[in-house]
Amino acid sequence: MNENDLSILIDVRQHIIAIYDYLEHKNMPHAMISQQVIAKELDVVIPKIDKILKDKVTFSKG
């Protein structure tokens, strides 16, 4: 893992923490959140992870 990979990974971690912190009722058993909100956040995080892994693994569609 090179320095660029580490930088991207730190950015992904910070983004995930920000998503977690954004959740208003994360400790309530019946809390609700829009799937659209989660989908938008995952659309940001997944490409960042893919950027780290692109030269290290091959993904298969299945």
Side-chain angles (χ1 to χ4, degrees), residues 1-47:
M1 184 174 290
N2 62 37
E3 193 168 320
N4 186 52
D5 291 342
L6 288 174
S7 177
I8 295 168
L9 194 55
I10 289 168
D11 184 49
V12 169
R13 181 181 184 277
Q14 289 172 333
H15 192 110
I16 292 170
I17 290 169
I19 294 167
Y20 180 80
D21 289 341
Y22 172 78
L23 299 173
E24 294 177 20
H25 305 288
K26 59 185 158 255
N27 297 318
M28 298 181 82
H30 300 292
M32 304 275 281
I33 189 167
S34 166
Q35 289 187 19
Q36 184 179 25
V37 171
I38 297 301
K40 285 180 181 179
E41 294 299 338
L42 292 175
D43 279 343
V44 173
V45 173
I46 291 169

